Amino acid sequence: MSCIRTLYRFSLILALAFCLLLHADFVSAQKVALLPMSDFSKGENGVNLQLTKAVETSLKQLGVEMVSRNDLMLFMARNKVRSFRFLDSYLVKKIGAEFDSSLVLLGTVTEMDEKTPSIGLTFTALDTVDGAPVWSASEATSVKEQAPILGVGEAKSVVDLARPVLKDILSPLADIAHNASSLESRDYQLVGLSLYPGYVRGSQLVKADLKILFLGKRPTFIAAESEIGKSYLQYDRRTDSYQGEWFAPREDGRYDVDLRFEWGRERTVERLESVASYEVINDAPGLEMEIKKTIKIGQRLAFRNHVLILPRVDNLRPMAGWALSIKDERGQVVAYEEYDTDLPERMIWEGRGGDGFRLDNGVYTVGLEVWDLAGNRSAAEQRIVLQAYPPKVEGKIKNIEGEASLTLHAAGFYEFPLSNWRVELRSMTGALLVKGKGRELPATFDFLPVEGEKWAYLTVDGVDPLGNRLRGKKVKLQVVAGEKKIEKQEAESWVPDF
Amino acid sequence: MQKKITYFLLLGLCLTLLGCSNHHGLQTRIMAGADTNICSVVLLPFENWTRKQEVALLTERLFTSQLLQTGEFNLVQAGDVGMFFLRQRLRPGSSLFKRHLTDMASQLEVDVVIQGRVVDAGSVRRSGDEKVPFLSLAFNVYDADTGALVLNTVHQRKGDDFRKLMHFGVETTLSGLTEKMSQEIIEDWFNKGITCR
């Protein structure tokens, strides 16, 4: 009998405890977490703690249980919630879980003026089950809008205005808080999944770094999954992140990466699709280079002032960088520029070296190399002739027994000789000795020198095929007396000596 | 005497009707072929073209409140939008490209993205010492799946546009005016078939 009685008492206690537990759950579901109210009248980051207290009091009067303000402030500091913009659904759920609250209430003073009392308020309640907004209300008023008959009961301050407004706005919230329920969920805040490099060549290593926060327990395993398979990520306690790596597939294409959470012993799978992606590129960029503003002389391209370098990449892809090099005939690099940016549409080379000075006339090789983010490289080069100044012309006078001759020949570095030239030789007294023109060098002119004058003045003008002009400058030449060459005449036939 | 009374009564009626006039300054253009079945929305931080720093925040918060009060749409929490910007390495106020919108559609599960802009805000002085606020708003709503524009709305009002009789109905606060304008805009959207079906 006593055994039955004991059993009866035990079951009664158990039932009572169960009821209390249910009741406790019900009560906990009514809690509302009111965050400090933003106050735009005090600036973008303004906070109004006085009004927060007033709202708290109004809610308590409506029978709503509140989460301690100090605890909430600590939570905000711990989770770096500087304003409502930093409060995402994960943190709303976290507040729900940490403080047993069903709603998070965000209040804002949109405007407040003490001079001519006016106030604007707005409230939004967020459900801690899914972090979504479930209720909102706003109200604005001023003493001008509430002019009572004969001024009886006229609001004298903002507090007088706020009191009835708060009561009106907040009254439906009590019911919402009562009906709200709390739910334990496996939730997380995905801060980011970084894949690097984002562009790879086939079979290259791809590394993943996952930053994720979990509301409750962490899943047993987390894997990064794409169409080539899955790769489990390891938790790194030091960085509080998950890390992993795998080899990229050989085929070109974009590969989306899903996150796969495996929970508990049963390894229930939950999948978060297309969190990040990487791209496999195996082909080198199809680079072509065209050089404009050149003159074709024979088989060679030449310029005297500047050239336009027009690169073209056939297959569009994210470029990582490019380099332009200019080499001389010996293969020595005279100019080199490298940039980690996209390829420009056009480039101009003014025939200068890396030091900024004009280069000598000669043959140069313009080389362009581009590489994409996956590291595929492509190059193109072209030889061009630079002739920035015309060939020099040197003259020499020989005077043999009163008969003089002027010989002209090209000198200096040049690739193309003068195509037209004009010569003038004058004596020291100004008498014209030689005047002529021609297309080819060397050339010789005979003239009669002025007796007793050992010097003459030479002036040569000309232009090369690229348009470089040789300006006439007087050059003093010595009239060198030469010896007459005696030409040995060989006998055409043997004459018998008689 | 009776004529005078009738005259004043008619004048009063006219004034009353003027107070209930249509939402002048409100224009909504819906793009041809746009999908007007909208259930889930994300509201981006409002652009501010005025010199008053807090106006964009004020308008954004009050418009959000009005959207929620309709009970028609599921609204993404502002913090989640901030988190999306962080994940995409976007600064607040950055211009969004089509791919951002489509990413938003898949990650935040939204139908449209609402981009609001405060074009002008301030107050005008009326007879005596009376000052009334004015506000000018513009909205672009984009389809999150395609990135295409769904609708464009512009609206501007002054506080005394709502005057019914004497001082009654005049909105003397910017918050009150924003609230009324937000209601009008959302009502206009409903009238033009923007609903969750």
Side-chain angles (χ1 to χ4, degrees):
Chain A
M1 190 66 189
S2 66
C3 184
I4 293 168
R5 202 172 281 170
T6 317
L7 203 70
Y8 172 73
R9 269 183 201 164
F10 181 71
S11 57
L12 205 68
I13 290 165
L14 208 70
L16 199 68
F18 184 66
C19 284
L20 278 171
L21 205 69
L22 274 180
H23 181 69
D25 271 347
F26 180 67
V27 169
S28 70
Q30 289 181 53
K31 266 192 183 177
V32 170
L34 172 69
L35 265 61
M37 288 183 69
S38 300
D39 190 347
F40 294 158
S41 67
K42 293 178 180 175
E44 271 184 69
N45 300 315
V47 175
N48 195 325
L49 288 174
Q50 202 183 348
L51 208 70
T52 311
K53 274 183 202 168
V55 173
E56 220 172 69
T57 313
S58 299
L59 282 170
K60 276 179 184 168
Q61 281 169 359
L62 288 165
V64 177
E65 196 180 340
M66 304 297 293
V67 174
S68 151
R69 195 165 0 109
N70 288 341
D71 290 350
L72 269 174
M73 301 272 249
L74 279 173
F75 176 90
M76 287 172 76
R78 221 170 38 236
N79 291 281
K80 298 178 182 106
V81 183
R82 291 196 291 276
S83 78
F84 296 164
R85 281 217 187 286
F86 295 87
L87 191 78
D88 66 345
S89 48
Y90 166 80
L91 288 173
V92 173
K93 289 175 210 170
K94 198 172 175 182
I95 291 175
E98 220 165 279
F99 302 108
D100 266 347
S101 72
S102 57
L103 292 176
V104 173
L105 187 63
L106 312 178
T108 306
V109 181
T110 51
E111 67 181 284
M112 189 193 277
D113 189 5
E114 291 280 359
K115 227 171 163 186
T116 48
S118 65
I119 192 164
L121 293 167
T122 178
F123 289 94
T124 302
L126 309 169
D127 193 345
T128 55
V129 172
D130 56 6
V134 285
W135 169 87
S136 187
S138 46
E139 187 73 57
T141 189
S142 73
V143 278
K144 287 178 189 169
E145 289 175 30
Q146 293 190 342
I149 300 160
L150 302 172
V152 180
E154 191 181 60
K156 296 275 185 285
S157 67
V158 175
V159 182
D160 292 343
L161 274 174
R163 242 181 246 136
V165 170
L166 280 179
K167 204 176 170 186
D168 281 355
I169 291 184
L170 298 172
S171 53
L173 199 66
D175 290 339
I176 295 165
H178 269 286
N179 298 330
S181 57
S182 58
L183 186 78
E184 196 184 318
S185 63
R186 290 164 175 167
D187 221 322
Y188 47 79
Q189 181 192 48
L190 177 65
V191 182
L193 172 63
S194 307
L195 300 180
Y196 49 95
Y199 295 89
V200 287
R201 277 179 283 176
S203 310
Q204 259 193 342
L205 200 64
V206 179
K207 290 185 177 180
D209 186 10
L210 170 69
K211 192 95 180 158
I212 191 165
L213 303 170
F214 289 93
L215 202 58
K217 276 185 180 175
R218 291 173 181 277
T220 322
F221 296 106
I222 299 180
E225 197 173 25
S226 67
E227 59 184 81
I228 58 156
K230 65 182 175 201
S231 172
Y232 284 101
L233 306 178
Q234 301 297 317
Y235 179 65
D236 181 6
R237 197 178 288 273
R238 193 173 51 83
T239 56
D240 190 24
S241 64
Y242 289 82
Q243 286 160 2
E245 55 187 39
W246 61 88
F247 289 100
R250 286 187 179 178
E251 290 76 33
D252 280 25
R254 184 187 150 112
Y255 294 86
D256 283 336
V257 176
D258 305 339
L259 281 178
R260 178 190 162 101
F261 304 121
E262 295 179 12
W263 299 90
R265 279 187 184 174
E266 306 82 24
R267 305 201 30 192
T268 327
V269 173
E270 197 182 327
R271 199 173 268 113
L272 197 61
E273 289 180 356
S274 301
V275 180
S277 69
Y278 63 95
E279 200 167 338
V280 176
I281 305 171
N282 290 307
D283 299 331
L287 175 70
E288 280 178 30
M289 182 174 65
E290 197 181 351
I291 295 186
K292 293 254 183 184
K293 294 223 166 188
T294 53
I295 297 171
K296 199 168 182 185
I297 302 171
Q299 293 299 310
R300 302 198 291 175
L301 292 175
F303 76 104
R304 71 182 181 102
N305 194 1
H306 67 272
V307 283
L308 272 181
I309 303 167
L310 305 174
R312 199 167 48 238
V313 178
D314 278 352
N315 33 5
L316 265 177
R317 63 184 59 198
M319 301 303 297
W322 58 274
L324 180 78
S325 67
I326 312 286
K327 288 179 191 169
D328 63 13
E329 275 173 289
R330 288 171 294 167
Q332 279 187 332
V333 179
V334 291
Y336 183 81
E337 302 252 325
E338 188 179 317
Y339 295 93
D340 292 333
T341 58
D342 225 345
L343 198 59
E345 276 183 22
R346 59 177 65 193
M347 288 172 263
I348 293 173
W349 181 44
E350 292 179 323
R352 293 176 194 276
D355 52 7
F357 291 105
R358 298 277 310 204
L359 293 167
D360 287 334
N361 291 348
V363 181
Y364 293 92
T365 307
V366 179
L368 184 64
E369 192 180 15
V370 294
W371 53 95
D372 60 20
L373 285 171
N376 298 299
R377 285 176 176 265
S378 194
E381 59 178 41
Q382 196 158 345
R383 281 161 73 87
I384 48 173
V385 179
L386 165 68
Q387 185 153 305
Y389 47 89
K392 288 173 187 166
V393 176
E394 286 180 354
K396 210 172 184 182
I397 298 173
K398 276 189 179 176
N399 183 6
I400 302 165
E401 293 175 0
E403 284 180 14
S405 68
L406 168 71
T407 309
L408 298 173
H409 60 88
F413 296 107
Y414 66 93
E415 291 294 324
F416 304 104
L418 292 176
S419 52
N420 279 303
W421 51 264
R422 216 171 50 187
V423 64
E424 214 177 80
L425 186 74
R426 285 183 185 273
S427 70
M428 291 189 71
T429 49
L432 185 69
L433 302 174
V434 172
K435 188 171 183 180
K437 56 184 179 180
R439 288 178 179 273
E440 285 177 8
L441 284 173
T444 308
F445 295 91
D446 293 330
F447 66 95
L448 284 171
V450 178
E451 261 185 57
E453 285 190 11
K454 287 185 177 176
W455 300 91
Y457 292 106
L458 175 72
T459 314
V460 183
D461 289 329
V463 63
D464 69 7
L466 291 154
N468 294 304
R469 289 199 168 275
L470 178 71
R471 303 279 173 202
K473 204 168 85 177
K474 268 186 185 174
V475 182
K476 203 174 173 185
L477 289 182
Q478 195 176 11
V479 183
V480 183
E483 286 177 8
K484 193 177 182 182
K485 276 185 185 174
I486 300 164
E487 286 177 12
K488 283 182 183 174
Q489 282 187 348
E490 283 184 17
E492 286 176 359
S493 61
W494 180 254
V495 181
D497 194 9
F498 61 89
Chain B
M1 186 67 187
Q2 207 170 358
K3 263 187 181 177
K4 271 187 180 173
I5 292 168
T6 320
Y7 172 75
F8 277 114
L9 276 173
L10 277 171
L11 188 73
L13 189 69
C14 283
L15 285 173
T16 314
L17 287 175
L18 272 175
C20 307
S21 63
N22 63 344
H23 310 144
H24 53 275
L26 174 61
Q27 276 185 5
T28 297
R29 290 187 182 91
I30 296 185
M31 300 302 122
D35 185 6
T36 54
N37 180 20
I38 294 165
C39 293
S40 182
V41 299
V42 62
L43 197 69
L44 296 182
F46 276 33
E47 275 181 53
N48 189 3
W49 284 15
T50 71
R51 286 183 185 177
K52 297 180 174 181
Q53 283 190 331
E54 298 81 37
V55 169
L57 278 171
L58 177 152
T59 322
E60 182 193 327
R61 214 147 285 178
L62 289 166
F63 189 77
T64 307
S65 173
Q66 291 305 320
L67 267 182
L68 280 167
Q69 283 178 50
T70 61
E72 187 77 13
F73 308 111
N74 292 324
L75 196 71
V76 173
Q77 156 72 346
D80 289 339
V81 182
M83 205 60 193
F84 175 84
F85 271 62
L86 184 75
R87 274 202 295 267
Q88 298 279 336
R89 277 120 174 111
L90 291 166
R91 281 183 298 141
S94 306
S95 302
L96 297 187
F97 294 109
K98 193 178 154 186
R99 72 176 170 84
H100 293 130
L101 298 179
T102 49
D103 282 354
M104 214 178 258
S106 61
Q107 288 181 27
L108 302 177
E109 292 169 359
V110 288
D111 299 325
V112 291
V113 175
I114 302 177
Q115 199 175 46
R117 182 184 309 134
V118 185
V119 181
D120 203 2
S123 56
V124 279
R125 194 173 286 276
R126 291 289 188 240
S127 57
D129 201 24
E130 193 187 13
K131 265 165 85 177
V132 289
F134 70 86
L135 183 66
S136 180
L137 297 172
F139 289 88
N140 281 337
V141 178
Y142 296 96
D143 188 320
D145 287 325
T146 61
L149 186 69
V150 173
L151 66 85
N152 164 267
T153 296
V154 287
H155 193 19
Q156 55 183 356
R157 283 285 211 177
K158 295 187 192 79
D160 52 359
D161 285 346
F162 299 92
R163 187 191 299 273
K164 287 187 176 79
L165 202 66
M166 292 164 72
H167 71 279
F168 294 106
V170 177
E171 288 298 336
T172 56
T173 60
L174 187 63
S175 304
L177 180 64
T178 312
E179 220 180 308
K180 280 268 163 61
M181 285 174 69
S182 303
Q183 280 167 8
E184 285 179 347
I185 290 167
I186 297 165
E187 195 186 308
D188 195 39
W189 288 356
F190 284 158
N191 292 339
K192 290 193 163 65
I194 305 286
T195 47
C196 179
R197 293 185 281 273

